[in-house]
């Protein structure tokens, strides 16, 4: 997923209302991209990076990802990306 797609997905859930002041992210390439940095700057959102190798600094999302994997991705077989929950078709 590109940083641009991350920004588009965040815009969909943000929906123009009051958004967060900061977002905690890890060091994956989509979060370190210029596109996401520009997205955050335009919306006044600070990107807070956890320290490399310290997933406990982002325990909430690590827990969510584990549950999503256990309860959805490991249980259901999707024939295509479009069938996967939350999939956003690139524009």
């Amino acid at each position: 997923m590109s940083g641009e797609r991350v920004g588009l997905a965040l815009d969909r859930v943000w929906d123009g209302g009051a958004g967060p002041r900061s977002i905690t992210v890890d060091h994956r390439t989509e979060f370190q991209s210029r596109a996401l940095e520009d997205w955050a700057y335009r919306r006044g959102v600070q990107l807070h990076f956890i320290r490399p190798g310290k997933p406990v600094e982002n325990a909430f999302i690590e827990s969510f990802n584990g549950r999503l994997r256990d309860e959805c991705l490991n249980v259901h077989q999707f024939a295509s990306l479009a069938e996967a929950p939350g999939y956003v078709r690139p524009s």
Side-chain angles (χ1 to χ4, degrees):
M1 182 178 248
S2 69
E4 183 177 358
R5 286 188 59 200
V6 171
L8 291 172
L10 290 170
D11 279 338
R12 281 185 11 164
V13 296
W14 191 331
D15 197 23
R21 286 184 252 166
S22 69
I23 299 174
T24 302
V25 296
D26 61 20
H27 289 272
R28 290 188 219 151
T29 56
E30 64 269 24
F31 299 126
Q32 295 185 32
S33 72
R34 178 58 142 190
L36 190 61
E37 184 179 321
D38 290 345
W39 175 91
Y41 177 79
R42 288 191 309 271
R43 285 153 186 81
V45 174
Q46 173 131 16
L47 296 178
H48 172 75
F49 289 91
I50 64 171
R51 292 179 292 170
K54 302 289 184 186
V56 295
E57 291 183 3
N58 202 9
F60 176 78
I61 196 63
E62 295 295 333
S63 175
F64 172 81
N65 287 343
R67 285 198 171 173
L68 177 67
R69 189 178 312 107
D70 290 344
E71 297 176 12
C72 182
L73 301 178
N74 291 342
V75 176
H76 301 287
Q77 184 173 3
F78 304 104
S80 68
L81 278 175
E83 289 184 11
Y87 174 72
V88 179
R89 181 176 299 274
S91 50

